[in-house]
Amino acid sequence: MSRNTHSGEAIIRKAFYRSSLTIVIALIAGYAIYHFTRQQPVSEPVKQEAVKGPVTKQQVSIKIPDVHFTDITHNAGIDFVHTNGAYGDRLLPETMGGGGGFIDYDNDGDQDIILVNATYWPGKQQNNIPTSRLYDNDGTGHFSDASASAGLAINSYGMGLAVGDYDNDGWDDVYITTLNKNYLLHNEQGKFVDATEAAGVAGFDKDWGTAAVFFDFDNDSDLDLFVANYVEWSAEINIEIDFRVTGIGKSYSTPTHYAGAKSRLYRNDGNGHFTDISLESGIHIAGKALSATAVDYDHDGLLDLFVANDTVQNFLFQNKGNGRFEDVGALEGIAFNRKGKATGAMGIDTAWYRNDDELGIVIGNFANEMSSLFVTADGQTPFADESLLEGLGADSRLALTFGLFFFDYDLDGRLDLLQANGHLENEINKVQPSQHYEQPVQLYWNCEDNGHTSASNGCNNRFMLVDNTGDLGTPVVGRGASYADIDNDGDLDVLITQAGREAKLYRNDQQTGHHWLRVKLNGTEDNRNAIGAIIELTANGITQRRMITSGRSFLSQLEFPVTFGLGKADRVDNFIITWPGGMNQAVIIDSVDRQINITQSSK
């Protein structure tokens, strides 16, 4: 086929394609003209409205009461400085500090102060001889040193104390724990006499006593004694360990380097003598106990023991009756924290802080461990750790907490929480920038509104950290923590002890105008201190509940009188005492803003 033939066919093919394309374009154009030129229905104008997004209810910023605490230590006549005997070997007991607390030792109606001191190590004695101290209150919050005249100028490596009238003679006695043998001091009308050996409660030379608790575990109307022991320690073992921290060098060893010790339970025989029933009672279990308290958590009329252990599981010794106890801490949910781990547990306290049936157990822990707050549900166990939900978690995590307690510092009818903090290592900031040797005392305000927290009033969590507390915010090497109304003005003042430093006394200068009632119980059928009694007060539709206890916080003794804040309520509607033996006594309260003394009625 010729080249001309191929050329003609190509010309015809191109012409056909062009014609086809022209037709298609024309059809599309025609359809478009028809579609866009045909009559359209008239549209109604669109009504413009502002777009509304999700509405967030504005929260009311709740105001924490403006309450200041003033350091009155020197003006009040307190000149105590703790001696820990430190000389460079970094011996573990030097880190613990000593306890402090309150006692009305002379029965004059005001709260006096006891401060437990340690001493120098053998061969390192200085010219002065440090002793524990007793300060007599003149009723206005000013104190004078009565240590020597009252028989409390004891030289020992002291730790903690407990107060209780163990022979029901109307005069409060004192038990002091030490590194080695302990002391029971019998109060003979304002003069203390060493009754340790006669009573059989010295313990052993190698014991390291920490907390002590007077409580009537067998309901026979006299006070028995629980003594917590820490670890099996000696200076030789401590030096051989030679614990060191990179960046610091020689450092204080941790309790994980030592075996746990077994605590002791002494039954009061009622004749001035106690019998050691540790082994047969079931509490002779190795732990690393630093604090303890007694409360009837299961409502069976028998006081149980909560024990805070350092780096090993906490104990809950359930009182089975007949002198028998069983550790049910793991079963009841208080042995470990919310992650199932043992913590560096230091201080402990218990309270019905929600003004309902829920019992709370708070435990102060080591640095980088938040405080534990174990709470029942519907008044029943097991406990659940609700530290985060209640607002303690984040703020308590960095602090190394020793002493702590519930109390109503602003008298609004809700229990608040105070934590005394301070590290073990004075150079800790070199290796942990977030940690400091001296740490501020933390005060948490309970912002609960008639039994409920509410985001609408700014109370997202029950406990809110108070930023401005006056002198209480000055960092300390906090250890023991206690409270009492030292000046009889109705509000609660605070005592903080330090390791190797002076004790601090802070006056509560609240000016809220809230009403209050203070109650001092005097048992006759039951133990004289009424330890184990429960007081329920109802005012303005809210019922508050308190238990008289011994052995709270860390190595410390809180006053026996109970303070109820009433807020704006100026009358008490109902007041009932359940005495330790189970007897109920209703009392008519005809006025407030005062202290009342109530004697147990006969059965």
Side-chain angles (χ1 to χ4, degrees):
M1 187 175 293
S2 67
R3 181 175 180 179
N4 290 336
T5 301
H6 286 291
S7 178
E9 290 176 354
I11 293 171
I12 294 171
R13 193 180 299 115
K14 289 181 181 180
F16 174 76
Y17 290 154
R18 288 173 181 172
S19 299
S20 298
L21 180 60
T22 300
I23 293 171
V24 172
I25 292 172
L27 290 172
I28 293 173
Y31 175 78
I33 292 171
Y34 167 76
H35 178 74
F36 288 108
T37 57
R38 67 188 175 96
Q39 186 175 6
Q40 299 283 343
V42 179
S43 300
E44 294 291 333
V46 177
K47 185 177 181 180
Q48 301 289 330
E49 292 188 7
V51 178
K52 296 181 178 180
V55 177
T56 301
K57 187 174 181 179
Q58 185 176 6
Q59 294 184 1
V60 177
S61 178
I62 195 166
K63 179 175 173 55
I64 297 177
D66 187 17
V67 176
H68 284 213
F69 287 83
T70 303
D71 184 348
I72 61 167
T73 308
H74 297 144
N75 290 338
I78 306 297
D79 59 355
F80 175 85
V81 178
H82 179 259
T83 298
N84 64 3
Y87 62 91
D89 271 353
R90 301 285 182 126
L91 303 179
L92 184 59
E94 298 166 1
T95 67
M96 292 300 171
F102 295 94
I103 178 177
D104 182 8
Y105 84 99
D106 50 2
N107 282 347
D108 63 355
D110 50 50
Q111 296 299 311
D112 312 299
I113 292 176
I114 296 178
L115 293 164
V116 178
N117 210 349
T119 190
Y120 299 104
W121 296 108
K124 307 295 181 180
Q125 186 68 42
Q126 304 296 317
N127 292 329
N128 64 314
I129 300 177
T131 67
S132 295
R133 306 279 284 279
L134 171 66
Y135 291 91
D136 182 44
N137 190 345
D138 67 0
T140 67
H142 188 272
F143 298 82
S144 56
D145 191 341
S147 311
S149 60
L152 260 173
I154 296 172
N155 173 247
S156 66
Y157 208 99
M159 287 286 156
L161 79 156
V163 173
D165 183 3
Y166 74 89
D167 57 350
N168 287 327
D169 66 351
W171 296 84
D172 285 344
D173 312 299
V174 175
Y175 190 80
I176 295 179
T177 62
T178 78
L179 185 68
N180 304 126
K181 288 188 177 181
N182 304 319
Y183 292 86
L184 177 63
L185 304 172
H186 182 243
N187 189 344
E188 299 184 358
Q189 300 185 23
K191 305 290 185 180
F192 289 95
V193 175
D194 190 346
T196 312
E197 295 300 328
V201 292
F204 294 93
D205 286 337
K206 293 185 178 181
D207 284 350
W208 180 348
T210 51
V213 180
F214 281 111
F215 74 126
D216 183 7
F217 75 80
D218 49 6
N219 286 338
D220 64 352
S221 301
D222 54 34
L223 293 176
D224 310 295
L225 178 63
F226 173 80
V227 181
N229 286 321
Y230 187 36
V231 295
E232 295 183 359
W233 177 91
S234 70
E236 292 74 20
I237 295 174
N238 199 140
I239 293 172
E240 184 177 347
I241 289 172
D242 194 27
F243 187 70
R244 296 178 181 272
V245 173
T246 302
I248 294 179
K250 191 174 184 60
S251 182
Y252 287 106
S253 54
T254 67
T256 57
H257 291 94
Y258 306 93
K262 297 176 180 178
S263 298
R264 303 194 183 279
L265 179 62
Y266 298 97
R267 185 189 63 224
N268 192 335
D269 298 331
N271 56 2
H273 185 270
F274 292 76
T275 298
D276 187 343
I277 62 167
S278 309
L279 185 60
E280 57 264 40
S281 69
I283 66 96
H284 206 52
I285 302 174
K288 299 181 181 182
L290 284 177
S291 60
T293 192
V295 62
D296 179 13
Y297 85 97
D298 53 1
H299 318 293
D300 65 353
L302 299 171
L303 288 174
D304 312 290
L305 275 170
F306 290 85
V307 180
N309 286 313
D310 189 4
T311 70
V312 297
Q313 68 185 67
N314 302 315
F315 296 150
L316 169 49
F317 289 113
Q318 185 182 45
N319 191 338
K320 297 292 188 179
N322 298 319
R324 294 287 302 170
F325 290 81
E326 180 184 353
D327 176 28
V328 295
L331 178 67
E332 298 288 36
I334 67 103
F336 306 99
N337 68 6
R338 61 196 309 271
K339 294 182 178 180
K341 296 182 178 180
T343 60
M346 307 293 181
I348 193 171
D349 197 12
T350 67
W352 291 277
Y353 68 90
R354 294 177 176 173
N355 287 339
D356 57 17
D357 291 334
E358 309 308 335
L359 177 66
I361 314 293
V362 66
I363 295 177
N365 292 319
F366 201 76
N368 300 313
E369 297 174 339
M370 68 182 69
S371 295
S372 301
L373 181 55
F374 301 103
V375 189
T376 58
D378 297 324
Q380 301 296 319
T381 56
F383 292 87
D385 190 347
E386 298 191 4
S387 179
L388 279 172
L389 294 176
E390 296 287 55
L392 296 183
D395 290 317
S396 69
R397 187 185 299 276
L398 283 180
L400 199 167
T401 300
F402 279 86
L404 78 176
F405 52 72
F406 291 104
F407 75 141
D408 185 0
Y409 79 91
D410 61 338
L411 303 176
D412 65 354
R414 303 188 294 265
L415 286 173
D416 314 297
L417 179 67
L418 180 143
Q419 298 191 154
N421 308 314
H423 211 280
L424 307 181
E425 290 286 350
N426 58 359
E427 298 179 300
I428 189 63
N429 189 248
K430 291 182 178 180
V431 294
Q432 294 186 34
S434 64
Q435 289 297 315
H436 298 273
Y437 186 50
E438 298 172 320
Q439 300 180 6
V441 174
Q442 290 178 310
L443 180 63
Y444 292 89
W445 181 57
N446 186 338
C447 66
E448 163 194 31
D449 183 14
N450 292 329
H452 302 283
T453 56
S454 173
S456 64
N457 69 359
C459 186
N460 296 295
N461 302 108
R462 185 175 307 272
F463 289 107
M464 301 174 66
L465 184 63
V466 183
D467 292 329
N468 187 7
T469 58
D471 293 336
L472 200 61
T474 303
V476 293
V477 188
R479 293 298 185 263
S482 184
Y483 67 74
D485 179 9
I486 62 170
D487 46 10
N488 297 307
D489 62 354
D491 56 33
L492 296 174
D493 311 293
V494 173
L495 176 69
I496 303 291
T497 68
Q498 300 190 79
R501 298 189 180 189
E502 64 178 358
K504 291 286 188 178
L505 182 62
Y506 302 92
R507 186 183 63 219
N508 187 338
D509 289 329
Q510 64 87 24
Q511 298 291 328
T512 61
H514 289 157
H515 296 290
W516 50 275
L517 182 72
R518 282 174 57 79
V519 183
K520 175 68 168 62
L521 298 185
N522 179 37
T524 55
E525 303 293 326
D526 295 303
N527 71 85
R528 188 65 64 93
N529 298 117
I531 291 172
I534 295 176
I535 307 172
E536 292 182 291
L537 178 151
T538 302
N540 197 27
I542 303 296
T543 298
Q544 303 179 51
R545 185 185 304 168
R546 304 281 193 275
M547 175 176 277
I548 310 297
T549 59
S550 163
R552 296 162 59 189
S553 188
F554 175 77
L555 306 180
S556 299
Q557 173 70 42
L558 284 64
E559 65 169 352
F560 281 129
V562 175
T563 296
F564 290 94
L566 303 177
K568 296 180 180 179
D570 58 1
R571 57 173 292 178
V572 174
D573 301 318
N574 200 30
F575 189 93
I576 297 176
I577 303 165
T578 302
W579 294 91
M583 184 185 75
N584 290 331
Q585 181 177 347
V587 179
I588 296 175
I589 307 299
D590 54 14
S591 62
V592 298
D593 298 332
R594 65 191 180 105
Q595 177 171 317
I596 59 174
N597 298 318
I598 300 175
T599 298
Q600 183 178 12
S601 60
S602 57
K603 296 181 180 178

